[in-house]
Structure formats: structure tokens, C-alpha cells
CSV table of all heavy atoms in Angstrom, one decimal:
chain,number,residue,atom,x,y,z
Y,1,SER,N,74.4,116.4,10.5
Y,1,SER,CA,75.5,117.3,10.1
Y,1,SER,C,76.8,116.5,10.3
Y,1,SER,O,77.7,116.5,9.4
Y,1,SER,CB,75.5,118.6,11.0
Y,1,SER,OG,76.7,119.3,10.6
Y,2,GLY,N,76.9,115.8,11.4
Y,2,GLY,CA,78.1,115.0,11.7
Y,2,GLY,C,78.3,113.9,10.7
Y,2,GLY,O,79.4,113.6,10.2
Y,3,LEU,N,77.2,113.2,10.3
Y,3,LEU,CA,77.2,112.1,9.4
Y,3,LEU,C,77.6,112.6,8.0
Y,3,LEU,O,78.4,112.0,7.3
Y,3,LEU,CB,75.9,111.4,9.3
Y,3,LEU,CG,75.5,110.5,10.5
Y,3,LEU,CD1,74.1,110.0,10.4
Y,3,LEU,CD2,76.5,109.4,10.7
Y,4,TYR,N,77.1,113.8,7.6
Y,4,TYR,CA,77.5,114.4,6.3
Y,4,TYR,C,79.0,114.7,6.4
Y,4,TYR,O,79.7,114.5,5.4
Y,4,TYR,CB,76.7,115.7,6.1
Y,4,TYR,CG,75.4,115.4,5.4
Y,4,TYR,CD1,74.2,115.8,6.0
Y,4,TYR,CD2,75.3,114.7,4.2
Y,4,TYR,CE1,73.0,115.6,5.4
Y,4,TYR,CE2,74.0,114.5,3.6
Y,4,TYR,CZ,72.9,114.9,4.2
Y,4,TYR,OH,71.7,114.7,3.7
Y,5,ALA,N,79.5,115.2,7.5
Y,5,ALA,CA,80.9,115.5,7.6
Y,5,ALA,C,81.7,114.3,7.5
Y,5,ALA,O,82.8,114.3,6.9
Y,5,ALA,CB,81.1,116.2,9.0
Y,6,LEU,N,81.3,113.2,8.2
Y,6,LEU,CA,82.0,111.9,8.1
Y,6,LEU,C,82.0,111.4,6.7
Y,6,LEU,O,83.0,110.8,6.2
Y,6,LEU,CB,81.3,110.9,9.0
Y,6,LEU,CG,81.6,111.0,10.5
Y,6,LEU,CD1,80.8,110.0,11.3
Y,6,LEU,CD2,83.1,110.8,10.8
Y,7,GLN,N,80.9,111.6,6.0
Y,7,GLN,CA,80.8,111.1,4.6
Y,7,GLN,C,81.9,111.9,3.7
Y,7,GLN,O,82.6,111.3,2.9
Y,7,GLN,CB,79.4,111.4,4.0
Y,7,GLN,CG,79.2,110.8,2.6
Y,7,GLN,CD,77.8,111.0,2.1
Y,7,GLN,OE1,77.2,112.0,2.5
Y,7,GLN,NE2,77.4,110.2,1.2
Y,8,ARG,N,82.0,113.2,3.9
Y,8,ARG,CA,83.0,114.0,3.2
Y,8,ARG,C,84.4,113.5,3.6
Y,8,ARG,O,85.2,113.4,2.7
Y,8,ARG,CB,82.8,115.5,3.5
Y,8,ARG,CG,81.5,116.1,3.0
Y,8,ARG,CD,81.6,117.6,3.0
Y,8,ARG,NE,82.0,118.2,4.2
Y,8,ARG,CZ,81.2,118.5,5.2
Y,8,ARG,NH1,79.9,118.3,5.1
Y,8,ARG,NH2,81.7,119.1,6.3
Y,9,PHE,N,84.6,113.3,4.8
Y,9,PHE,CA,85.9,112.8,5.3
Y,9,PHE,C,86.2,111.5,4.7
Y,9,PHE,O,87.4,111.2,4.2
Y,9,PHE,CB,85.9,112.8,6.8
Y,9,PHE,CG,87.2,112.2,7.3
Y,9,PHE,CD1,88.4,113.0,7.3
Y,9,PHE,CD2,87.3,110.9,7.9
Y,9,PHE,CE1,89.6,112.5,7.8
Y,9,PHE,CE2,88.5,110.4,8.4
Y,9,PHE,CZ,89.6,111.2,8.3
Y,10,SER,N,85.2,110.6,4.6
Y,10,SER,CA,85.5,109.2,4.0
Y,10,SER,C,85.9,109.3,2.6
Y,10,SER,O,86.8,108.7,2.1
Y,10,SER,CB,84.2,108.4,4.2
Y,10,SER,OG,83.9,108.1,5.5
Y,11,ARG,N,85.2,110.2,1.8
Y,11,ARG,CA,85.5,110.4,0.4
Y,11,ARG,C,87.0,111.0,0.3
Y,11,ARG,O,87.7,110.6,-0.6
Y,11,ARG,CB,84.5,111.3,-0.2
Y,11,ARG,CG,83.2,110.7,-0.5
Y,11,ARG,CD,82.5,111.5,-1.6
Y,11,ARG,NE,82.1,112.8,-1.1
Y,11,ARG,CZ,81.0,113.2,-0.6
Y,11,ARG,NH1,80.1,112.3,-0.4
Y,11,ARG,NH2,80.8,114.5,-0.2
Y,12,ALA,N,87.3,111.9,1.2
Y,12,ALA,CA,88.6,112.5,1.1
Y,12,ALA,C,89.7,111.5,1.4
Y,12,ALA,O,90.7,111.5,0.7
Y,12,ALA,CB,88.7,113.7,2.2
Y,13,ILE,N,89.6,110.7,2.4
Y,13,ILE,CA,90.7,109.7,2.7
Y,13,ILE,C,90.7,108.5,1.8
Y,13,ILE,O,91.7,107.8,1.7
Y,13,ILE,CB,90.6,109.3,4.2
Y,13,ILE,CG1,89.3,108.5,4.5
Y,13,ILE,CG2,90.7,110.5,5.1
Y,13,ILE,CD1,89.3,107.9,5.9
Y,14,SER,N,89.5,108.3,1.1
Y,14,SER,CA,89.5,107.1,0.2
Y,14,SER,C,90.2,107.3,-1.1
Y,14,SER,O,90.5,106.4,-1.8
Y,14,SER,CB,88.0,106.7,0.0
Y,14,SER,OG,87.4,107.7,-0.7
Y,15,THR,N,90.5,108.6,-1.3
Y,15,THR,CA,91.2,108.9,-2.6
Y,15,THR,C,92.7,108.9,-2.5
Y,15,THR,O,93.4,109.2,-3.4
Y,15,THR,CB,90.8,110.3,-3.1
Y,15,THR,OG1,91.1,111.3,-2.1
Y,15,THR,CG2,89.3,110.4,-3.4
Y,16,THR,N,93.3,108.6,-1.3
Y,16,THR,CA,94.7,108.6,-1.1
Y,16,THR,C,95.1,107.3,-0.3
Y,16,THR,O,94.4,106.8,0.5
Y,16,THR,CB,95.2,109.8,-0.3
Y,16,THR,OG1,96.6,109.8,-0.1
Y,16,THR,CG2,94.5,109.9,1.1
Y,17,LEU,N,96.3,106.9,-0.6
Y,17,LEU,CA,96.9,105.8,0.1
Y,17,LEU,C,98.2,106.2,0.7
Y,17,LEU,O,99.1,105.3,1.0
Y,17,LEU,CB,97.1,104.6,-0.9
Y,17,LEU,CG,95.9,103.9,-1.3
Y,17,LEU,CD1,96.2,102.9,-2.5
Y,17,LEU,CD2,95.2,103.1,-0.2
Y,18,GLU,N,98.4,107.5,1.0
Y,18,GLU,CA,99.6,108.0,1.7
Y,18,GLU,C,99.2,108.4,3.1
Y,18,GLU,O,98.2,109.2,3.3
Y,18,GLU,CB,100.2,109.2,0.9
Y,18,GLU,CG,100.7,108.8,-0.5
Y,18,GLU,CD,101.5,109.9,-1.1
Y,18,GLU,OE1,101.8,110.9,-0.4
Y,18,GLU,OE2,101.7,109.9,-2.3
Y,19,GLU,N,99.9,108.0,4.1
Y,19,GLU,CA,99.6,108.2,5.5
Y,19,GLU,C,99.5,109.7,5.8
Y,19,GLU,O,98.5,110.1,6.5
Y,19,GLU,CB,100.6,107.5,6.3
Y,19,GLU,CG,100.2,107.4,7.8
Y,19,GLU,CD,101.1,106.5,8.6
Y,19,GLU,OE1,101.4,105.3,8.1
Y,19,GLU,OE2,101.6,106.9,9.6
Y,20,ASN,N,100.4,110.5,5.4
Y,20,ASN,CA,100.3,111.9,5.8
Y,20,ASN,C,99.1,112.6,5.2
Y,20,ASN,O,98.5,113.5,5.8
Y,20,ASN,CB,101.6,112.6,5.3
Y,20,ASN,CG,102.8,112.2,6.0
Y,20,ASN,OD1,102.7,111.7,7.2
Y,20,ASN,ND2,104.0,112.2,5.4
Y,21,GLN,N,98.7,112.3,4.0
Y,21,GLN,CA,97.5,112.9,3.4
Y,21,GLN,C,96.2,112.5,4.1
Y,21,GLN,O,95.3,113.2,4.0
Y,21,GLN,CB,97.5,112.5,1.9
Y,21,GLN,CG,98.6,113.2,1.1
Y,21,GLN,CD,98.4,112.9,-0.4
Y,21,GLN,OE1,97.5,112.3,-0.8
Y,21,GLN,NE2,99.5,113.3,-1.2
Y,22,ILE,N,96.2,111.3,4.7
Y,22,ILE,CA,95.1,110.9,5.5
Y,22,ILE,C,94.8,111.8,6.6
Y,22,ILE,O,93.7,112.3,6.8
Y,22,ILE,CB,95.3,109.4,6.0
Y,22,ILE,CG1,95.3,108.4,4.8
Y,22,ILE,CG2,94.2,109.1,7.0
Y,22,ILE,CD1,95.7,107.1,5.2
Y,23,PHE,N,95.8,112.2,7.4
Y,23,PHE,CA,95.7,113.1,8.5
Y,23,PHE,C,95.3,114.5,8.0
Y,23,PHE,O,94.5,115.2,8.7
Y,23,PHE,CB,96.9,113.1,9.3
Y,23,PHE,CG,97.3,111.8,9.9
Y,23,PHE,CD1,98.5,111.2,9.7
Y,23,PHE,CD2,96.4,111.1,10.7
Y,23,PHE,CE1,98.9,110.0,10.2
Y,23,PHE,CE2,96.7,109.9,11.2
Y,23,PHE,CZ,97.9,109.3,11.0
Y,24,SER,N,95.8,114.9,6.9
Y,24,SER,CA,95.5,116.3,6.4
Y,24,SER,C,94.1,116.4,6.0
Y,24,SER,O,93.6,117.5,5.7
Y,24,SER,CB,96.5,116.7,5.3
Y,24,SER,OG,96.3,115.8,4.2
Y,25,GLY,N,93.4,115.3,5.8
Y,25,GLY,CA,92.0,115.3,5.4
Y,25,GLY,C,91.1,115.8,6.5
Y,25,GLY,O,89.9,116.2,6.3
Y,26,ILE,N,91.6,115.9,7.8
Y,26,ILE,CA,90.8,116.4,8.9
Y,26,ILE,C,91.0,117.9,8.9
Y,26,ILE,O,92.1,118.4,9.3
Y,26,ILE,CB,91.1,115.8,10.2
Y,26,ILE,CG1,91.0,114.3,10.2
Y,26,ILE,CG2,90.3,116.3,11.4
Y,26,ILE,CD1,91.4,113.5,11.4
Y,27,GLU,N,90.0,118.7,8.5
Y,27,GLU,CA,90.2,120.1,8.4
Y,27,GLU,C,89.3,120.8,9.5
Y,27,GLU,O,88.4,120.2,10.1
Y,27,GLU,CB,89.7,120.7,7.1
Y,27,GLU,CG,90.6,120.1,5.9
Y,27,GLU,CD,90.1,120.5,4.6
Y,27,GLU,OE1,89.0,121.0,4.5
Y,27,GLU,OE2,90.8,120.2,3.6
Y,28,THR,N,89.6,122.1,9.7
Y,28,THR,CA,88.9,122.9,10.8
Y,28,THR,C,87.4,122.9,10.6
Y,28,THR,O,86.6,122.7,11.5
Y,28,THR,CB,89.4,124.3,10.9
Y,28,THR,OG1,90.9,124.2,11.1
Y,28,THR,CG2,88.8,125.0,12.0
Y,29,ASN,N,87.0,123.2,9.3
Y,29,ASN,CA,85.5,123.2,9.1
Y,29,ASN,C,84.9,121.9,9.3
Y,29,ASN,O,83.7,121.8,9.6
Y,29,ASN,CB,85.3,123.8,7.7
Y,29,ASN,CG,85.9,122.9,6.6
Y,29,ASN,OD1,86.7,122.0,6.9
Y,29,ASN,ND2,85.6,123.2,5.3
Y,30,PHE,N,85.6,120.8,9.0
Y,30,PHE,CA,85.1,119.5,9.3
Y,30,PHE,C,84.8,119.3,10.8
Y,30,PHE,O,83.8,118.7,11.2
Y,30,PHE,CB,86.0,118.4,8.7
Y,30,PHE,CG,85.8,117.0,9.2
Y,30,PHE,CD1,84.7,116.3,8.7
Y,30,PHE,CD2,86.6,116.4,10.1
Y,30,PHE,CE1,84.4,115.0,9.1
Y,30,PHE,CE2,86.3,115.1,10.5
Y,30,PHE,CZ,85.2,114.4,10.1
Y,31,LEU,N,85.8,119.7,11.6
Y,31,LEU,CA,85.6,119.6,13.1
Y,31,LEU,C,84.4,120.4,13.5
Y,31,LEU,O,83.7,120.0,14.4
Y,31,LEU,CB,86.9,120.1,13.8
Y,31,LEU,CG,88.1,119.1,13.8
Y,31,LEU,CD1,89.2,119.7,14.5
Y,31,LEU,CD2,87.7,117.8,14.5
Y,32,GLU,N,84.3,121.6,13.0
Y,32,GLU,CA,83.2,122.5,13.4
Y,32,GLU,C,81.8,121.9,13.1
Y,32,GLU,O,80.9,122.0,13.8
Y,32,GLU,CB,83.3,123.9,12.7
Y,32,GLU,CG,84.5,124.7,13.2
Y,32,GLU,CD,84.7,125.9,12.4
Y,32,GLU,OE1,84.0,126.1,11.3
Y,32,GLU,OE2,85.5,126.8,12.8
Y,33,ASP,N,81.7,121.1,12.0
Y,33,ASP,CA,80.5,120.4,11.7
Y,33,ASP,C,80.2,119.4,12.7
Y,33,ASP,O,79.0,119.0,12.9
Y,33,ASP,CB,80.6,119.8,10.3
Y,33,ASP,CG,80.6,120.8,9.2
Y,33,ASP,OD1,80.1,122.0,9.4
Y,33,ASP,OD2,81.0,120.5,8.0
Y,34,LEU,N,81.2,118.9,13.3
Y,34,LEU,CA,81.0,117.9,14.4
Y,34,LEU,C,80.8,118.5,15.8
Y,34,LEU,O,80.5,117.9,16.7
Y,34,LEU,CB,82.2,116.9,14.5
Y,34,LEU,CG,82.5,116.0,13.3
Y,34,LEU,CD1,83.7,115.2,13.5
Y,34,LEU,CD2,81.3,115.1,13.1
Y,35,GLY,N,81.0,119.9,15.8
Y,35,GLY,CA,80.8,120.6,17.1
Y,35,GLY,C,82.1,120.7,17.9
Y,35,GLY,O,82.1,121.0,19.1
Y,36,PHE,N,83.3,120.6,17.3
Y,36,PHE,CA,84.6,120.8,17.9
Y,36,PHE,C,85.4,121.8,17.2
Y,36,PHE,O,85.2,122.0,16.0
Y,36,PHE,CB,85.3,119.4,18.0
Y,36,PHE,CG,84.5,118.3,18.7
Y,36,PHE,CD1,83.8,117.4,18.0
Y,36,PHE,CD2,84.4,118.3,20.1
Y,36,PHE,CE1,83.0,116.4,18.6
Y,36,PHE,CE2,83.7,117.3,20.7
Y,36,PHE,CZ,83.0,116.4,19.9
Y,37,GLU,N,86.4,122.3,17.9
Y,37,GLU,CA,87.4,123.2,17.2
Y,37,GLU,C,88.8,122.8,17.5
Y,37,GLU,O,89.7,123.5,17.0
Y,37,GLU,CB,87.1,124.7,17.6
Y,37,GLU,CG,87.4,125.0,19.0
Y,37,GLU,CD,86.2,124.8,19.9
Y,37,GLU,OE1,85.1,124.4,19.4
Y,37,GLU,OE2,86.3,125.2,21.1
Y,38,LYS,N,89.0,121.8,18.3
Y,38,LYS,CA,90.4,121.3,18.6
Y,38,LYS,C,90.5,119.8,18.3
Y,38,LYS,O,89.5,119.1,18.5
Y,38,LYS,CB,90.7,121.6,20.0
Y,38,LYS,CG,90.8,123.1,20.4
Y,38,LYS,CD,91.1,123.2,21.9
Y,38,LYS,CE,91.2,124.7,22.3
Y,38,LYS,NZ,92.4,125.4,21.7
Y,39,ALA,N,91.7,119.4,17.8
Y,39,ALA,CA,91.9,118.0,17.5
Y,39,ALA,C,93.4,117.7,17.5
Y,39,ALA,O,94.2,118.5,17.2
Y,39,ALA,CB,91.3,117.7,16.1
Y,40,LEU,N,93.7,116.5,18.0
Y,40,LEU,CA,95.0,116.0,18.0
Y,40,LEU,C,95.0,114.5,17.6
Y,40,LEU,O,94.1,113.8,17.9
Y,40,LEU,CB,95.7,116.1,19.4
Y,40,LEU,CG,95.9,117.5,20.0
Y,40,LEU,CD1,96.2,117.4,21.4
Y,40,LEU,CD2,97.0,118.2,19.2
Y,41,ILE,N,96.1,114.0,16.9
Y,41,ILE,CA,96.3,112.6,16.6
Y,41,ILE,C,97.7,112.2,17.0
Y,41,ILE,O,98.6,112.9,16.6
Y,41,ILE,CB,96.0,112.3,15.1
Y,41,ILE,CG1,94.5,112.4,14.8
Y,41,ILE,CG2,96.5,110.9,14.8
Y,41,ILE,CD1,94.2,112.1,13.4
Y,42,TYR,N,97.8,111.2,17.8
Y,42,TYR,CA,99.1,110.7,18.2
Y,42,TYR,C,99.2,109.2,17.9
Y,42,TYR,O,98.2,108.5,18.1
Y,42,TYR,CB,99.4,110.9,19.7
Y,42,TYR,CG,99.8,112.3,20.1
Y,42,TYR,CD1,98.9,113.3,20.3
Y,42,TYR,CD2,101.1,112.6,20.2
Y,42,TYR,CE1,99.3,114.6,20.7
Y,42,TYR,CE2,101.6,113.9,20.5
Y,42,TYR,CZ,100.6,114.9,20.7
Y,42,TYR,OH,101.0,116.2,21.1
Y,43,LEU,N,100.3,108.8,17.4
Y,43,LEU,CA,100.6,107.4,17.1
Y,43,LEU,C,101.8,106.9,18.0
Y,43,LEU,O,102.7,107.7,18.2
Y,43,LEU,CB,100.9,107.1,15.7
Y,43,LEU,CG,99.8,107.4,14.7
Y,43,LEU,CD1,100.3,107.1,13.2
Y,43,LEU,CD2,98.5,106.7,15.0
Y,44,LEU,N,101.7,105.7,18.5
Y,44,LEU,CA,102.7,105.1,19.3
Y,44,LEU,C,103.8,104.5,18.4
Y,44,LEU,O,103.5,103.5,17.7
Y,44,LEU,CB,102.1,104.0,20.3
Y,44,LEU,CG,103.1,103.4,21.3
Y,44,LEU,CD1,103.6,104.5,22.2
Y,44,LEU,CD2,102.4,102.3,22.1
Y,45,GLU,N,105.0,105.1,18.4
Y,45,GLU,CA,106.0,104.6,17.6
Y,45,GLU,C,106.8,103.4,18.2
Y,45,GLU,O,106.5,103.0,19.3
Y,45,GLU,CB,107.1,105.8,17.3
Y,45,GLU,CG,106.4,107.1,16.8
Y,45,GLU,CD,105.8,106.9,15.4
Y,45,GLU,OE1,106.3,106.0,14.7
Y,45,GLU,OE2,104.9,107.6,15.0
């Protein structure tokens, strides 16, 4: 299930070259397929 979710995510982010749209590709249902319901991404500026 996780690998299928990763495959869907890979397809989603491979269709964009904009940084903001890459992060928006991580959705709640995608996390649930991995067994999680919370997620955060931080970048060091």
C-alpha cells in the first residue's frame, strides 16, 4: 500500500517543476495509505 502511495506521489510531483506544487502533492489520503495522519516539512532558509 505504501509503495502504491509512493508511486502516486512520484507521478504527482513529476508533473510539476514548481516548488510549492511539490509540497501540495502530499495529501491526507496519501499519508493514511502510509499509516500516518500528521506531516510537516521544514526547510532551512
Side-chain angles (χ1 to χ4, degrees):
S1 176
L3 289 172
Y4 276 123
L6 284 175
Q7 186 181 28
R8 293 198 306 275
F9 176 72
S10 296
R11 285 199 297 265
I13 65 175
S14 64
T15 58
T16 180
L17 287 170
E18 294 186 17
E19 191 168 310
N20 292 332
Q21 292 184 6
I22 292 171
F23 298 125
S24 63
I26 303 178
E27 301 175 350
T28 304
N29 59 351
F30 168 71
L31 284 177
E32 290 174 352
D33 290 339
L34 294 178
F36 304 98
E37 65 270 4
K38 294 178 180 292
L40 294 168
I41 290 179
Y42 280 87
L43 297 180
L44 185 61
E45 305 296 335

